[in-house]
Amino acid sequence: MKWVRPGDSDYDEARTVFNAMIDRRPAVIAQCATAGDVRSALMYARENHLEVAVRSGGHSVAGMSLNDGGLVIDVRPMKQISFDPQSRTATVGGGVTWGEFDRAGQRHGLATTGGRVSTTGVSGFTLGGGSGWLERSWGLACDNLVSVDLVTASGEEMTASADENRELFWALHGGGGNFGVATSFTFRLHDVGQELLCGLLLWPIDAAREAALACRDYLPTAPAGLGGALACLVAPPEEFVPAGLQGKPALGAVAVYAGDPAEAEQSMRPLRGLAPAVDIIAPRPYADFQCMLDDQPGQLNYWSADYHDDFPDDAVDIFLDYGRRLPHESSQLLLVPWGGAVAKADAVLTPMARRDATWVTHPFTLWQDPARTEDAIGWAKGFRRDIAAFTSGGVYLNFIGNEGQDRIRAAFGEENYARLAQTKRNYDPENVFHGNQNILPAAAEPVAH
């Protein structure tokens, strides 16, 4: 284990996370390569009365991967990756990113639902549920878990699976990093082959309403093998984009089909038939597709999200209106179709509520000039305010920052939250792991006299 402290030459690099708005200065960063290192770091934090944060990919938009004046358990050195094509499983360390996972799987033509940005850490993404392009085919990342190894607040090394510590395993299907430091994950894998049909369509946003309505009508009923999203974005300065559209707001449709190539062509025909100005849907390796929308690190970030049971014409108009007013060329506004395997997952296997939502909206705000911060955050909050009449009350926590206990409870519902709180009391009664979408430990039962 390596200890990194203020004054060390690598301290600033070690405390840098994806969101450049976050500038926190831990007293010490423990770069842990083993479960034993994690246990030692937790003991050090306890002995020195230090708050604890846990860092993997560092993509928490609220900066929950860091703290000020405390200890950060950095699991990025845990980079072991093992794929078993015969059992169709993969076991990876807690510091692996989805880009690393997907590249390793591509050699075997195998994958599981992973992050839409390749630098996202496997750990936080999966523990928070794991919404990705392949979710309509195979469910969320957490639905594909076989087991999780972790170190609890007391320093105990445990394995959670369907056969071992089952209540803890249930809580790890979306309950986040509340219950321990995950050191290893084993996933079920699925065939993606050497290439699959995937890519991007673009329309100028001022001529996109008809396409948006058609996509809105088609995507929820499309074959489960078709994953993707509608995205308002600024068209990039790339050769495949007409010169008149480059740098202008556009409506995009991201599409990927996990399944038979002949069915893929048929499933995408309704989208490709909407006269897009850009059509770069083509066969390509899944691992390459996963990098297509990667954002440049070092930008300022603010995100939020909501669930929708339906998305009427008036909601589409609000979506497109905000898409015309993106605060920066890196900002995006996503409308993600759920359904398929996401909705079919057995509700008793995960604490996440309202997985039958039809849509998820996700204002994904990135900008570079700190002087624009108020306007950029105001744009995202304004969208949430104006779309509120069409929301269902649920939320996917990996898509939001620090928005309070009401939003956390909305993600699980009261019954599941109460059950999670009991699990939290069993494994972290002192709330050592509170640098997250925090589930408060249930109050101890009064002692009878």
Side-chain angles (χ1 to χ4, degrees):
M1 177 166 55
K2 181 179 179 181
W3 301 91
V4 181
R5 293 180 169 85
D8 291 343
S9 61
D10 52 351
Y11 176 74
D12 284 336
E13 184 280 327
R15 70 183 184 89
T16 297
V17 292
F18 183 75
N19 185 1
M21 286 185 71
I22 307 304
D23 183 20
R24 295 178 182 161
R25 303 185 66 84
V28 59
I29 300 170
Q31 296 181 333
C32 299
T34 67
D37 288 348
V38 173
R39 190 170 59 250
S40 297
L42 286 169
M43 185 179 300
Y44 180 89
R46 189 178 306 115
E47 291 171 349
N48 290 276
H49 308 289
L50 296 173
E51 290 199 6
V52 172
V54 183
R55 187 242 171 90
S56 178
H59 274 255
S60 163
V61 70
M64 296 172 179
S65 308
L66 294 178
N67 58 31
D68 279 315
L71 179 141
V72 173
I73 296 175
D74 184 347
V75 300
R76 284 180 293 173
M78 299 183 184
K79 291 291 191 185
Q80 63 271 27
I81 301 176
S82 176
F83 274 72
D84 186 344
Q86 188 168 5
S87 68
R88 297 166 68 85
T89 61
T91 299
V92 301
V96 171
T97 66
W98 280 108
E100 294 162 342
F101 186 108
D102 294 331
R103 291 294 174 193
Q106 189 67 62
R107 293 195 290 270
H108 307 287
L110 296 170
T112 198
T113 302
R116 294 180 177 90
V117 175
S118 67
T119 56
T120 302
V122 168
S123 184
F125 175 88
T126 302
L127 295 176
S131 173
W133 299 126
L134 301 179
E135 63 197 5
R136 297 186 77 246
S137 295
W138 301 321
L140 305 178
C142 69
D143 299 330
N144 292 280
L145 277 174
V146 176
S147 65
V148 181
D149 293 337
L150 73 165
V151 180
T152 67
S154 65
E156 184 178 359
E157 296 180 38
M158 305 189 72
T159 298
S161 70
D163 301 317
E164 191 175 0
N165 298 306
R166 294 176 63 182
E167 189 70 4
L168 176 59
F169 192 53
W170 171 82
L172 296 174
H173 283 65
N178 276 281
F179 310 100
V181 181
T183 57
S184 177
F185 298 82
T186 299
F187 294 93
R188 286 184 294 276
L189 302 173
H190 309 272
D191 287 320
V192 292
Q194 293 308 305
E195 292 184 325
L196 38 65
L197 192 65
C198 55
L200 176 69
L201 308 172
L202 288 177
W203 297 265
I205 202 157
D206 287 332
R209 188 173 191 268
E210 183 178 346
L213 294 173
C215 292
R216 184 273 318 270
D217 292 341
Y218 174 62
L219 289 174
T221 61
L226 181 64
L230 291 182
C232 296
L233 64 144
V234 174
E238 301 287 351
E239 290 185 5
F240 62 80
V241 179
L245 184 55
Q246 293 181 18
K248 304 289 182 59
L251 175 70
V254 182
V256 56
Y257 193 88
D260 181 82
E263 295 175 0
E265 293 280 1
Q266 184 176 357
S267 75
M268 292 198 188
R269 194 170 297 135
L271 302 176
R272 304 180 83 175
L274 296 171
V278 171
D279 181 344
I280 56 168
I281 290 175
R284 55 174 56 86
Y286 169 70
D288 289 352
F289 171 72
Q290 281 286 79
C291 301
M292 284 184 67
L293 294 182
D294 277 7
D295 296 296
Q296 180 182 351
Q299 301 191 81
L300 306 167
N301 284 245
Y302 181 87
W303 317 336
S304 196
D306 285 288
Y307 289 172
H308 308 263
D309 292 334
D310 52 30
F311 211 73
D313 292 4
D314 288 349
V316 172
D317 290 337
I318 293 169
F319 177 74
L320 293 174
D321 179 53
Y322 275 83
R324 292 184 183 95
R325 299 185 281 119
L326 295 167
H328 186 267
E329 62 185 15
S330 296
S331 296
Q332 299 171 14
L333 178 57
L334 299 181
L335 178 62
V336 180
W338 268 16
V342 176
K344 290 179 180 177
D346 192 334
V348 303
L349 300 180
T350 171
M352 297 174 67
R354 298 180 181 265
R355 287 185 49 164
D356 58 351
T358 306
W359 299 99
V360 183
T361 50
H362 181 27
F364 188 78
T365 320
L366 291 84
W367 67 103
Q368 294 179 347
D369 182 359
R372 297 293 308 278
T373 295
E374 184 176 352
D375 289 342
I377 295 176
W379 173 87
K381 290 184 174 181
F383 174 76
R384 284 203 64 224
R385 179 194 64 234
D386 291 349
I387 206 71
F390 307 103
T391 62
S392 66
V395 62
Y396 171 60
L397 292 177
N398 274 359
F399 278 177
I400 74 170
N402 186 3
E403 298 185 11
Q405 273 289 310
D406 287 347
R407 292 278 269 169
I408 295 172
R409 288 175 178 270
F412 303 115
E414 289 303 317
E415 184 176 345
N416 283 348
Y417 184 89
R419 185 175 166 189
L420 286 167
Q422 182 62 50
T423 306
K424 176 76 168 178
R425 192 182 84 179
N426 292 341
Y427 292 96
D428 184 15
E430 298 178 357
N431 204 13
V432 170
F433 302 118
H434 59 267
N436 46 45
Q437 300 289 4
N438 195 221
I439 296 162
L440 302 174
E445 297 294 335
V447 178
H449 294 285

